[in-house]
Every structure is written in C-alpha cells, then in structure tokens.
Amino acid sequence: GAEDTGAADTGATDTGVADTEAAQSRIVRCELLNVTHLVAQLADVSLSATSVAIGVHACNAASLELLNAARAAGSAWAVMPCCIPEKLYMPNTAVTHLPDDLRYAATVGAIAQRFEASKVTCVDRRITNRHLLVFGEPDGPQPSCGECA
C-alpha cells in the first residue's frame, strides 16, 4: 500500500499523454511541496482524504471510475469528461434530437448533479470541444490553512 504523507496526489489514467519529468520539474520549481504527480491506472492508485483526483479527457467510463474512487476516499476531484456513453450517467433518460454539444452539456450537468459538484465551469472552446469542467469538494469537514502543515 501507499504511505500517506499528507501530500495531495494527482493521478492520470492516460499513460500516453503525461510528461512526468516536466511535471516533476514544475512541482520543484514552484515549491509545491504537498503535490505528487503520478501516472498510473486508477485501480493502482490509493486515494485518501488529502488527495485531489483529476481526470482530463478521461474517456468512456474512466471519469465515472475516478468519481466513484474519489467519493469512496472522501477526496476532492475535478473532471473534464470526453467521450461519454449515452446511458452511463442517465440510464433511465433518453437524450434525443440534440446536437452533440447540447448532449454533452446535458450529460455533464447530470454528472454534476449525481456527484453533488461544487462548481461547473469551462475552458475556451478553441482548446477543445469537450471543454466543461466539473469540480467536487471532499466529504466531511476540512482543516483550516493553519492545520494543513
């Protein structure tokens, strides 16, 4: 098992995209002493209440897997869902006759509702057409800044 150092953990499920050396360099340069960057399959990552689980363009059920793992660990989370199967988040709802961008927005709204998101926002659509971000707070009371050291 992983040792809990009190550090915030980041995990990526797409091992072909992350540049671990650049991320580690940035962490050191910015003196982000409570951040650990790792690239792994989500099933191999141990999340805790001090973790922040982040999924960017986590396709198909990968975002759902991340959200369920974060909820189980009481972790904060953020997702920018990409390819979302039609019935994954709304199994009893038919979403029909909508252009792709509206279907995507409706499904992201369903994710936000289902996982009690604290915030929904976006990045510029020129960056990606899957531009919506959903954020969730960890469960339970949170320490004040003085207790985080």
Side-chain angles (χ1 to χ4, degrees):
E3 181 181 356
D4 186 359
T5 62
D9 297 323
T10 62
T13 57
D14 186 358
T15 58
V17 175
D19 181 350
T20 302
E21 275 188 34
Q24 287 302 113
S25 174
R26 194 170 305 120
I27 288 167
V28 170
R29 187 174 64 252
C30 296
E31 298 181 20
L32 302 172
L33 303 178
N34 67 336
V35 174
T36 301
H37 175 268
L38 60 100
V39 177
Q41 295 298 313
L42 187 56
D44 297 332
V45 176
S46 296
L47 296 175
S48 72
T50 61
S51 299
V52 178
I54 302 170
V56 177
H57 287 273
C59 291
N60 300 310
S63 288
L64 180 59
E65 183 181 346
L66 181 139
L67 291 165
N68 285 328
R71 178 181 272 176
S75 302
W77 53 268
V79 293
M80 179 187 280
C82 186
C83 309
I84 307 169
E86 186 175 324
K87 298 288 186 177
L88 188 61
Y89 296 98
M90 299 183 292
N92 301 318
T93 304
V95 180
T96 61
H97 299 40
L98 291 178
D100 182 65
D101 62 333
L102 293 179
R103 187 193 68 76
Y104 174 70
T107 306
V108 170
I111 293 169
Q113 177 63 34
R114 179 171 171 183
F115 288 90
E116 299 176 348
S118 59
K119 183 176 186 174
V120 177
T121 189
C122 67
V123 298
D124 192 315
R125 283 188 115 153
R126 293 174 293 184
I127 297 170
T128 177
N129 68 333
R130 297 299 192 229
H131 64 293
L132 299 177
L133 292 134
V134 186
F135 295 87
E137 300 287 329
D139 294 335
Q142 297 303 301
S144 66
C145 289
E147 297 172 313
C148 293

mmCIF file of all heavy atoms in Angstrom, residues 44-94:
data_model
loop_
_atom_site.group_PDB
_atom_site.id
_atom_site.type_symbol
_atom_site.label_atom_id
_atom_site.label_comp_id
_atom_site.label_asym_id
_atom_site.label_seq_id
_atom_site.Cartn_x
_atom_site.Cartn_y
_atom_site.Cartn_z
ATOM 1 N N ASP A 44 -4.754 1.254 -9.583
ATOM 2 C CA ASP A 44 -3.493 1.098 -8.864
ATOM 3 C C ASP A 44 -3.159 2.287 -7.968
ATOM 4 O O ASP A 44 -2.102 2.327 -7.349
ATOM 5 C CB ASP A 44 -2.347 0.901 -9.866
ATOM 6 C CG ASP A 44 -2.514 -0.362 -10.690
ATOM 7 O OD1 ASP A 44 -3.146 -1.318 -10.203
ATOM 8 O OD2 ASP A 44 -2.018 -0.380 -11.839
ATOM 9 N N VAL A 45 -4.046 3.283 -7.904
ATOM 10 C CA VAL A 45 -3.802 4.493 -7.123
ATOM 11 C C VAL A 45 -4.590 4.431 -5.827
ATOM 12 O O VAL A 45 -5.776 4.117 -5.829
ATOM 13 C CB VAL A 45 -4.216 5.755 -7.924
ATOM 14 C CG1 VAL A 45 -4.069 7.010 -7.094
ATOM 15 C CG2 VAL A 45 -3.407 5.856 -9.207
ATOM 16 N N SER A 46 -3.917 4.733 -4.718
ATOM 17 C CA SER A 46 -4.582 4.799 -3.416
ATOM 18 C C SER A 46 -4.936 6.249 -3.130
ATOM 19 O O SER A 46 -4.051 7.073 -2.905
ATOM 20 C CB SER A 46 -3.665 4.265 -2.309
ATOM 21 O OG SER A 46 -3.399 2.912 -2.508
ATOM 22 N N LEU A 47 -6.217 6.567 -3.170
ATOM 23 C CA LEU A 47 -6.670 7.919 -2.846
ATOM 24 C C LEU A 47 -6.961 8.010 -1.358
ATOM 25 O O LEU A 47 -7.326 7.024 -0.730
ATOM 26 C CB LEU A 47 -7.940 8.260 -3.630
ATOM 27 C CG LEU A 47 -7.812 8.310 -5.148
ATOM 28 C CD1 LEU A 47 -9.166 8.548 -5.788
ATOM 29 C CD2 LEU A 47 -6.824 9.382 -5.570
ATOM 30 N N SER A 48 -6.814 9.213 -0.815
ATOM 31 C CA SER A 48 -7.146 9.459 0.581
ATOM 32 C C SER A 48 -7.901 10.777 0.667
ATOM 33 O O SER A 48 -8.108 11.455 -0.342
ATOM 34 C CB SER A 48 -5.870 9.521 1.429
ATOM 35 O OG SER A 48 -5.157 10.724 1.159
ATOM 36 N N ALA A 49 -8.252 11.164 1.865
ATOM 37 C CA ALA A 49 -8.974 12.422 2.062
ATOM 38 C C ALA A 49 -8.116 13.629 1.697
ATOM 39 O O ALA A 49 -8.654 14.704 1.448
ATOM 40 C CB ALA A 49 -9.444 12.536 3.511
ATOM 41 N N THR A 50 -6.788 13.465 1.622
ATOM 42 C CA THR A 50 -5.926 14.574 1.230
ATOM 43 C C THR A 50 -5.627 14.582 -0.268
ATOM 44 O O THR A 50 -4.915 15.447 -0.747
ATOM 45 C CB THR A 50 -4.585 14.540 2.004
ATOM 46 O OG1 THR A 50 -3.903 13.324 1.702
ATOM 47 C CG2 THR A 50 -4.807 14.672 3.492
ATOM 48 N N SER A 51 -6.167 13.629 -0.999
ATOM 49 C CA SER A 51 -5.931 13.533 -2.440
ATOM 50 C C SER A 51 -6.842 14.474 -3.211
ATOM 51 O O SER A 51 -7.921 14.838 -2.750
ATOM 52 C CB SER A 51 -6.208 12.104 -2.924
ATOM 53 O OG SER A 51 -5.369 11.173 -2.303
ATOM 54 N N VAL A 52 -6.388 14.827 -4.398
ATOM 55 C CA VAL A 52 -7.216 15.511 -5.383
ATOM 56 C C VAL A 52 -7.146 14.650 -6.637
ATOM 57 O O VAL A 52 -6.082 14.516 -7.241
ATOM 58 C CB VAL A 52 -6.724 16.937 -5.686
ATOM 59 C CG1 VAL A 52 -7.593 17.575 -6.758
ATOM 60 C CG2 VAL A 52 -6.681 17.785 -4.425
ATOM 61 N N ALA A 53 -8.243 14.032 -6.998
ATOM 62 C CA ALA A 53 -8.304 13.171 -8.178
ATOM 63 C C ALA A 53 -8.719 14.017 -9.369
ATOM 64 O O ALA A 53 -9.745 14.698 -9.318
ATOM 65 C CB ALA A 53 -9.294 12.038 -7.945
ATOM 66 N N ILE A 54 -7.927 13.975 -10.438
ATOM 67 C CA ILE A 54 -8.173 14.813 -11.610
ATOM 68 C C ILE A 54 -8.220 13.935 -12.854
ATOM 69 O O ILE A 54 -7.298 13.156 -13.098
ATOM 70 C CB ILE A 54 -7.075 15.883 -11.771
ATOM 71 C CG1 ILE A 54 -7.006 16.762 -10.513
ATOM 72 C CG2 ILE A 54 -7.330 16.727 -13.027
ATOM 73 C CD1 ILE A 54 -5.813 17.683 -10.485
ATOM 74 N N GLY A 55 -9.275 14.072 -13.635
ATOM 75 C CA GLY A 55 -9.398 13.357 -14.888
ATOM 76 C C GLY A 55 -9.636 14.335 -16.019
ATOM 77 O O GLY A 55 -10.649 15.033 -16.023
ATOM 78 N N VAL A 56 -8.715 14.414 -16.956
ATOM 79 C CA VAL A 56 -8.849 15.299 -18.119
ATOM 80 C C VAL A 56 -8.990 14.417 -19.356
ATOM 81 O O VAL A 56 -8.119 13.603 -19.641
ATOM 82 C CB VAL A 56 -7.637 16.239 -18.255
ATOM 83 C CG1 VAL A 56 -7.767 17.105 -19.509
ATOM 84 C CG2 VAL A 56 -7.500 17.108 -17.012
ATOM 85 N N HIS A 57 -10.095 14.570 -20.045
ATOM 86 C CA HIS A 57 -10.411 13.759 -21.212
ATOM 87 C C HIS A 57 -10.343 12.270 -20.878
ATOM 88 O O HIS A 57 -9.831 11.469 -21.649
ATOM 89 C CB HIS A 57 -9.523 14.116 -22.411
ATOM 90 C CG HIS A 57 -9.890 15.433 -23.017
ATOM 91 N ND1 HIS A 57 -10.851 15.548 -23.978
ATOM 92 C CD2 HIS A 57 -9.453 16.682 -22.753
ATOM 93 C CE1 HIS A 57 -10.984 16.825 -24.305
ATOM 94 N NE2 HIS A 57 -10.146 17.531 -23.577
ATOM 95 N N ALA A 58 -10.860 11.946 -19.708
ATOM 96 C CA ALA A 58 -10.962 10.544 -19.307
ATOM 97 C C ALA A 58 -12.176 9.961 -20.030
ATOM 98 O O ALA A 58 -13.316 10.249 -19.689
ATOM 99 C CB ALA A 58 -11.106 10.437 -17.796
ATOM 100 N N CYS A 59 -11.907 9.183 -21.051
ATOM 101 C CA CYS A 59 -12.966 8.705 -21.945
ATOM 102 C C CYS A 59 -13.817 7.598 -21.344
ATOM 103 O O CYS A 59 -13.378 6.852 -20.469
ATOM 104 C CB CYS A 59 -12.346 8.197 -23.236
ATOM 105 S SG CYS A 59 -11.641 9.514 -24.231
ATOM 106 N N ASN A 60 -15.012 7.501 -21.880
ATOM 107 C CA ASN A 60 -15.964 6.444 -21.561
ATOM 108 C C ASN A 60 -16.186 6.357 -20.061
ATOM 109 O O ASN A 60 -16.563 7.343 -19.449
ATOM 110 C CB ASN A 60 -15.534 5.129 -22.201
ATOM 111 C CG ASN A 60 -15.462 5.260 -23.706
ATOM 112 O OD1 ASN A 60 -16.402 5.735 -24.330
ATOM 113 N ND2 ASN A 60 -14.347 4.864 -24.303
ATOM 114 N N ALA A 61 -15.948 5.217 -19.458
ATOM 115 C CA ALA A 61 -16.231 5.047 -18.032
ATOM 116 C C ALA A 61 -15.087 5.501 -17.134
ATOM 117 O O ALA A 61 -15.199 5.417 -15.914
ATOM 118 C CB ALA A 61 -16.573 3.590 -17.749
ATOM 119 N N ALA A 62 -13.978 6.004 -17.684
ATOM 120 C CA ALA A 62 -12.838 6.412 -16.856
ATOM 121 C C ALA A 62 -13.202 7.550 -15.912
ATOM 122 O O ALA A 62 -12.782 7.557 -14.748
ATOM 123 C CB ALA A 62 -11.650 6.795 -17.734
ATOM 124 N N SER A 63 -13.984 8.518 -16.364
ATOM 125 C CA SER A 63 -14.410 9.599 -15.462
ATOM 126 C C SER A 63 -15.283 9.051 -14.345
ATOM 127 O O SER A 63 -15.123 9.429 -13.181
ATOM 128 C CB SER A 63 -15.175 10.688 -16.225
ATOM 129 O OG SER A 63 -14.313 11.440 -17.036
ATOM 130 N N LEU A 64 -16.191 8.157 -14.680
ATOM 131 C CA LEU A 64 -17.061 7.554 -13.665
ATOM 132 C C LEU A 64 -16.238 6.775 -12.641
ATOM 133 O O LEU A 64 -16.474 6.865 -11.431
ATOM 134 C CB LEU A 64 -18.096 6.642 -14.319
ATOM 135 C CG LEU A 64 -19.069 5.939 -13.375
ATOM 136 C CD1 LEU A 64 -19.862 6.936 -12.548
ATOM 137 C CD2 LEU A 64 -19.997 5.029 -14.167
ATOM 138 N N GLU A 65 -15.247 6.031 -13.111
ATOM 139 C CA GLU A 65 -14.369 5.280 -12.205
ATOM 140 C C GLU A 65 -13.635 6.236 -11.260
ATOM 141 O O GLU A 65 -13.552 6.000 -10.060
ATOM 142 C CB GLU A 65 -13.373 4.462 -13.029
ATOM 143 C CG GLU A 65 -12.451 3.593 -12.206
ATOM 144 C CD GLU A 65 -11.452 2.817 -13.064
ATOM 145 O OE1 GLU A 65 -11.628 2.739 -14.290
ATOM 146 O OE2 GLU A 65 -10.496 2.303 -12.478
ATOM 147 N N LEU A 66 -13.113 7.338 -11.797
ATOM 148 C CA LEU A 66 -12.421 8.330 -10.983
ATOM 149 C C LEU A 66 -13.371 8.944 -9.960
ATOM 150 O O LEU A 66 -13.025 9.081 -8.781
ATOM 151 C CB LEU A 66 -11.822 9.417 -11.869
ATOM 152 C CG LEU A 66 -11.048 10.499 -11.136
ATOM 153 C CD1 LEU A 66 -9.801 10.856 -11.897
ATOM 154 C CD2 LEU A 66 -11.902 11.730 -10.918
ATOM 155 N N LEU A 67 -14.568 9.314 -10.393
ATOM 156 C CA LEU A 67 -15.541 9.927 -9.484
ATOM 157 C C LEU A 67 -15.939 8.976 -8.361
ATOM 158 O O LEU A 67 -16.021 9.380 -7.196
ATOM 159 C CB LEU A 67 -16.774 10.379 -10.272
ATOM 160 C CG LEU A 67 -16.530 11.553 -11.221
ATOM 161 C CD1 LEU A 67 -17.671 11.688 -12.207
ATOM 162 C CD2 LEU A 67 -16.298 12.830 -10.456
ATOM 163 N N ASN A 68 -16.158 7.728 -8.685
ATOM 164 C CA ASN A 68 -16.511 6.746 -7.660
ATOM 165 C C ASN A 68 -15.359 6.535 -6.682
ATOM 166 O O ASN A 68 -15.577 6.440 -5.464
ATOM 167 C CB ASN A 68 -16.937 5.424 -8.291
ATOM 168 C CG ASN A 68 -18.325 5.503 -8.881
ATOM 169 O OD1 ASN A 68 -19.193 6.224 -8.397
ATOM 170 N ND2 ASN A 68 -18.553 4.759 -9.948
ATOM 171 N N ALA A 69 -14.131 6.476 -7.186
ATOM 172 C CA ALA A 69 -12.962 6.293 -6.319
ATOM 173 C C ALA A 69 -12.769 7.503 -5.410
ATOM 174 O O ALA A 69 -12.480 7.364 -4.215
ATOM 175 C CB ALA A 69 -11.716 6.043 -7.160
ATOM 176 N N ALA A 70 -12.930 8.707 -5.957
ATOM 177 C CA ALA A 70 -12.781 9.920 -5.155
ATOM 178 C C ALA A 70 -13.853 9.989 -4.070
ATOM 179 O O ALA A 70 -13.568 10.321 -2.912
ATOM 180 C CB ALA A 70 -12.842 11.159 -6.049
ATOM 181 N N ARG A 71 -15.069 9.671 -4.428
ATOM 182 C CA ARG A 71 -16.158 9.672 -3.447
ATOM 183 C C ARG A 71 -15.884 8.664 -2.335
ATOM 184 O O ARG A 71 -16.050 8.967 -1.153
ATOM 185 C CB ARG A 71 -17.484 9.367 -4.122
ATOM 186 C CG ARG A 71 -18.641 9.303 -3.122
ATOM 187 C CD ARG A 71 -19.928 8.969 -3.791
ATOM 188 N NE ARG A 71 -20.550 10.218 -4.227
ATOM 189 C CZ ARG A 71 -21.660 10.282 -4.921
ATOM 190 N NH1 ARG A 71 -22.273 9.179 -5.291
ATOM 191 N NH2 ARG A 71 -22.171 11.435 -5.257
ATOM 192 N N ALA A 72 -15.445 7.470 -2.694
ATOM 193 C CA ALA A 72 -15.161 6.425 -1.699
ATOM 194 C C ALA A 72 -14.048 6.850 -0.745
ATOM 195 O O ALA A 72 -14.072 6.500 0.439
ATOM 196 C CB ALA A 72 -14.803 5.112 -2.396
ATOM 197 N N ALA A 73 -13.065 7.609 -1.249
ATOM 198 C CA ALA A 73 -11.933 8.037 -0.424
ATOM 199 C C ALA A 73 -12.177 9.356 0.291
ATOM 200 O O ALA A 73 -11.382 9.764 1.123
ATOM 201 C CB ALA A 73 -10.684 8.157 -1.295
ATOM 202 N N GLY A 74 -13.272 10.034 -0.047
ATOM 203 C CA GLY A 74 -13.523 11.361 0.522
ATOM 204 C C GLY A 74 -12.594 12.414 -0.047
ATOM 205 O O GLY A 74 -12.274 13.399 0.607
ATOM 206 N N SER A 75 -12.151 12.210 -1.292
ATOM 207 C CA SER A 75 -11.196 13.106 -1.954
ATOM 208 C C SER A 75 -11.906 14.220 -2.709
ATOM 209 O O SER A 75 -13.030 14.045 -3.182
ATOM 210 C CB SER A 75 -10.365 12.326 -2.983
ATOM 211 O OG SER A 75 -9.676 11.275 -2.391
ATOM 212 N N ALA A 76 -11.208 15.321 -2.874
ATOM 213 C CA ALA A 76 -11.653 16.340 -3.811
ATOM 214 C C ALA A 76 -11.418 15.799 -5.220
ATOM 215 O O ALA A 76 -10.596 14.902 -5.414
ATOM 216 C CB ALA A 76 -10.871 17.632 -3.606
ATOM 217 N N TRP A 77 -12.131 16.333 -6.199
ATOM 218 C CA TRP A 77 -11.987 15.822 -7.556
ATOM 219 C C TRP A 77 -12.319 16.899 -8.583
ATOM 220 O O TRP A 77 -12.985 17.891 -8.279
ATOM 221 C CB TRP A 77 -12.881 14.600 -7.784
ATOM 222 C CG TRP A 77 -14.328 14.810 -7.432
ATOM 223 C CD1 TRP A 77 -14.924 14.545 -6.226
ATOM 224 C CD2 TRP A 77 -15.352 15.358 -8.263
ATOM 225 N NE1 TRP A 77 -16.253 14.882 -6.274
ATOM 226 C CE2 TRP A 77 -16.550 15.381 -7.510
ATOM 227 C CE3 TRP A 77 -15.382 15.818 -9.574
ATOM 228 C CZ2 TRP A 77 -17.753 15.863 -8.024
ATOM 229 C CZ3 TRP A 77 -16.584 16.302 -10.092
ATOM 230 C CH2 TRP A 77 -17.756 16.309 -9.316
ATOM 231 N N ALA A 78 -11.820 16.663 -9.784
ATOM 232 C CA ALA A 78 -12.146 17.502 -10.936
ATOM 233 C C ALA A 78 -12.115 16.612 -12.169
ATOM 234 O O ALA A 78 -11.219 15.781 -12.313
ATOM 235 C CB ALA A 78 -11.148 18.644 -11.092
ATOM 236 N N VAL A 79 -13.107 16.756 -13.026
ATOM 237 C CA VAL A 79 -13.128 16.007 -14.278
ATOM 238 C C VAL A 79 -13.475 16.927 -15.438
ATOM 239 O O VAL A 79 -14.238 17.872 -15.290
ATOM 240 C CB VAL A 79 -14.119 14.809 -14.269
ATOM 241 C CG1 VAL A 79 -13.671 13.739 -13.292
ATOM 242 C CG2 VAL A 79 -15.535 15.243 -13.979
ATOM 243 N N MET A 80 -12.864 16.627 -16.575
ATOM 244 C CA MET A 80 -13.221 17.226 -17.853
ATOM 245 C C MET A 80 -13.564 16.034 -18.741
ATOM 246 O O MET A 80 -12.714 15.497 -19.440
ATOM 247 C CB MET A 80 -12.070 18.036 -18.448
ATOM 248 C CG MET A 80 -12.416 18.662 -19.792
ATOM 249 S SD MET A 80 -10.984 19.453 -20.584
ATOM 250 C CE MET A 80 -10.933 20.999 -19.716
ATOM 251 N N PRO A 81 -14.831 15.585 -18.666
ATOM 252 C CA PRO A 81 -15.207 14.371 -19.397
ATOM 253 C C PRO A 81 -15.059 14.553 -20.904
ATOM 254 O O PRO A 81 -15.206 15.647 -21.429
ATOM 255 C CB PRO A 81 -16.675 14.168 -19.030
ATOM 256 C CG PRO A 81 -16.940 15.059 -17.876
ATOM 257 C CD PRO A 81 -15.943 16.163 -17.946
ATOM 258 N N CYS A 82 -14.793 13.463 -21.554
ATOM 259 C CA CYS A 82 -14.609 13.476 -23.004
ATOM 260 C C CYS A 82 -15.725 12.647 -23.640
ATOM 261 O O CYS A 82 -16.867 13.058 -23.680
ATOM 262 C CB CYS A 82 -13.232 12.951 -23.348
ATOM 263 S SG CYS A 82 -12.807 13.081 -25.089
ATOM 264 N N CYS A 83 -15.390 11.470 -24.074
ATOM 265 C CA CYS A 83 -16.362 10.572 -24.701
ATOM 266 C C CYS A 83 -17.250 9.984 -23.609
ATOM 267 O O CYS A 83 -16.755 9.284 -22.728
ATOM 268 C CB CYS A 83 -15.640 9.452 -25.436
ATOM 269 S SG CYS A 83 -14.363 10.060 -26.561
ATOM 270 N N ILE A 84 -18.534 10.276 -23.658
ATOM 271 C CA ILE A 84 -19.452 9.826 -22.619
ATOM 272 C C ILE A 84 -20.519 8.939 -23.252
ATOM 273 O O ILE A 84 -21.357 9.427 -24.016
ATOM 274 C CB ILE A 84 -20.131 11.017 -21.920
ATOM 275 C CG1 ILE A 84 -19.090 12.021 -21.408
ATOM 276 C CG2 ILE A 84 -21.015 10.530 -20.779
ATOM 277 C CD1 ILE A 84 -19.693 13.341 -20.937
ATOM 278 N N PRO A 85 -20.509 7.639 -22.946
ATOM 279 C CA PRO A 85 -21.565 6.767 -23.477
ATOM 280 C C PRO A 85 -22.947 7.286 -23.055
ATOM 281 O O PRO A 85 -23.131 7.776 -21.940
ATOM 282 C CB PRO A 85 -21.260 5.417 -22.832
ATOM 283 C CG PRO A 85 -19.806 5.471 -22.528
ATOM 284 C CD PRO A 85 -19.528 6.903 -22.160
ATOM 285 N N GLU A 86 -23.901 7.153 -23.948
ATOM 286 C CA GLU A 86 -25.222 7.769 -23.773
ATOM 287 C C GLU A 86 -25.906 7.444 -22.454
ATOM 288 O O GLU A 86 -26.476 8.316 -21.825
ATOM 289 C CB GLU A 86 -26.126 7.350 -24.938
ATOM 290 C CG GLU A 86 -27.461 8.056 -24.909
ATOM 291 C CD GLU A 86 -28.300 7.735 -26.127
ATOM 292 O OE1 GLU A 86 -27.730 7.591 -27.224
ATOM 293 O OE2 GLU A 86 -29.519 7.630 -25.962
ATOM 294 N N LYS A 87 -25.869 6.233 -22.003
ATOM 295 C CA LYS A 87 -26.623 5.834 -20.813
ATOM 296 C C LYS A 87 -25.778 5.745 -19.537
ATOM 297 O O LYS A 87 -26.273 5.329 -18.503
ATOM 298 C CB LYS A 87 -27.307 4.478 -21.049
ATOM 299 C CG LYS A 87 -28.323 4.489 -22.171
ATOM 300 C CD LYS A 87 -29.558 5.243 -21.756
ATOM 301 C CE LYS A 87 -30.645 5.153 -22.802
ATOM 302 N NZ LYS A 87 -31.863 5.818 -22.386
ATOM 303 N N LEU A 88 -24.520 6.145 -19.580
ATOM 304 C CA LEU A 88 -23.629 5.956 -18.439
ATOM 305 C C LEU A 88 -24.078 6.737 -17.203
ATOM 306 O O LEU A 88 -24.086 6.200 -16.096
ATOM 307 C CB LEU A 88 -22.200 6.360 -18.815
ATOM 308 C CG LEU A 88 -21.117 6.050 -17.792
ATOM 309 C CD1 LEU A 88 -21.029 4.548 -17.528
ATOM 310 C CD2 LEU A 88 -19.774 6.579 -18.281
ATOM 311 N N TYR A 89 -24.453 7.982 -17.358
ATOM 312 C CA TYR A 89 -24.831 8.812 -16.213
ATOM 313 C C TYR A 89 -26.339 9.017 -16.103
ATOM 314 O O TYR A 89 -26.818 9.450 -15.063
ATOM 315 C CB TYR A 89 -24.127 10.172 -16.282
ATOM 316 C CG TYR A 89 -22.633 10.046 -16.171
ATOM 317 C CD1 TYR A 89 -21.822 10.039 -17.294
ATOM 318 C CD2 TYR A 89 -22.037 9.906 -14.922
ATOM 319 C CE1 TYR A 89 -20.449 9.909 -17.182
ATOM 320 C CE2 TYR A 89 -20.663 9.767 -14.800
ATOM 321 C CZ TYR A 89 -19.876 9.778 -15.933
ATOM 322 O OH TYR A 89 -18.514 9.636 -15.832
ATOM 323 N N MET A 90 -27.070 8.738 -17.163
ATOM 324 C CA MET A 90 -28.524 8.888 -17.155
ATOM 325 C C MET A 90 -29.152 7.633 -17.754
ATOM 326 O O MET A 90 -29.707 7.670 -18.850
ATOM 327 C CB MET A 90 -28.927 10.127 -17.957
ATOM 328 C CG MET A 90 -28.375 11.427 -17.413
ATOM 329 S SD MET A 90 -28.922 12.901 -18.312
ATOM 330 C CE MET A 90 -28.113 12.697 -19.894
ATOM 331 N N PRO A 91 -29.074 6.509 -17.044
ATOM 332 C CA PRO A 91 -29.526 5.242 -17.618
ATOM 333 C C PRO A 91 -31.019 5.196 -17.930
ATOM 334 O O PRO A 91 -31.438 4.436 -18.797
ATOM 335 C CB PRO A 91 -29.151 4.204 -16.557
ATOM 336 C CG PRO A 91 -29.024 4.975 -15.295
ATOM 337 C CD PRO A 91 -28.569 6.345 -15.678
ATOM 338 N N ASN A 92 -31.807 6.010 -17.272
ATOM 339 C CA ASN A 92 -33.257 5.982 -17.468
ATOM 340 C C ASN A 92 -33.779 7.164 -18.275
ATOM 341 O O ASN A 92 -34.989 7.389 -18.324
ATOM 342 C CB ASN A 92 -33.962 5.938 -16.104
ATOM 343 C CG ASN A 92 -33.555 4.720 -15.309
ATOM 344 O OD1 ASN A 92 -33.455 3.623 -15.845
ATOM 345 N ND2 ASN A 92 -33.270 4.921 -14.039
ATOM 346 N N THR A 93 -32.868 7.933 -18.883
ATOM 347 C CA THR A 93 -33.270 9.133 -19.610
ATOM 348 C C THR A 93 -32.840 9.033 -21.063
ATOM 349 O O THR A 93 -31.673 8.771 -21.351
ATOM 350 C CB THR A 93 -32.619 10.384 -18.976
ATOM 351 O OG1 THR A 93 -32.972 10.435 -17.597
ATOM 352 C CG2 THR A 93 -33.069 11.646 -19.669
ATOM 353 N N ALA A 94 -33.772 9.250 -21.958
ATOM 354 C CA ALA A 94 -33.455 9.282 -23.386
ATOM 355 C C ALA A 94 -33.082 10.719 -23.755
ATOM 356 O O ALA A 94 -33.859 11.639 -23.553
ATOM 357 C CB ALA A 94 -34.642 8.821 -24.205
#
